Amino acid sequence: MKLIFATSNQHKLQEVKSVAAADLEIVSLKDIGFVGELPETHETIEENSLEKAEYLSKKYNTACFAEDTGLIIDSINGEPGVYSARYAGENASFEDNVNKVLSKMEGLEDRTARFKTVITYYSQGNYVQFTGITEGQITRERMGNSGFGYDPIFIPSGSAKTYAEMTLDEKNAFSHRKKSFDLFANHLKLISV
Ligand code: ITT
């Protein structure tokens, strides 16, 4: 089975490919010739996830899936949340965003946070969503060089390492993205029998 993943983020693509079963071929936006940004105009992760999947599905008249992810930090009112990609501004780098989190949290004792991924599968005008959440803690400084985004400052519960100190397989053992993808893959199995 071929599945179009509506994302411009190459790291997400790599992670999803690493957990997809061998009989699922993940097709990227690049593979179908789409260039540009997907629309993300809403105030919730669920709505943005749906918006991306619906936009691409309608544009190409095909089934596809998209995902939206946010890092939700309790002591700063759930920020960066739905604004995770552009927390430090429209063209902010991963480093700028991490710096903003660390400086906003300077001196704060409560470091609890969670990553939330919502996958939307959009097909023939209908959609289903699958949510994966991983609880954890925000470090006081960057640790590790792997991964992307906020990986260097997030330690998932049950680990002593940040996501950025892990191999891809180690991250997958905790990952919010893998949890949502596993639910989605299970749904695909159920609808294909
Ligand atoms: P698409 O919309 O094209 O999929 P994006 O990067 O804009 O790509 P999001 O709107 O979902 O994706 O932004 C989420 C941001 O949160 C992302 O840019 C990273 O900075 C961060 N992020 C998402 N997943 C992450 C992960 O597994 N580890 C660390 N940071 C992550």
Side-chain angles (χ1 to χ4, degrees), residues 115-119 130-134 175-177 179-180 183:
F115 266 112
K116 174 174 166 180
T117 293
V118 176
I119 288 179
F130 307 92
T131 303
I133 294 175
T134 295
S175 164
H176 46 288
R177 179 161 295 104
K179 286 175 188 164
S180 62
L183 294 172

Side-chain angles (χ1 to χ4, degrees), residues 7-9 12 40 52 69 148 150-151 171 176-177:
T7 181
S8 317
N9 184 319
K12 289 183 178 180
E40 282 185 63
K52 290 186 263 192
T69 296
F148 70 106
Y150 300 95
D151 281 350
K171 180 175 174 182
H176 46 288
R177 179 161 295 104

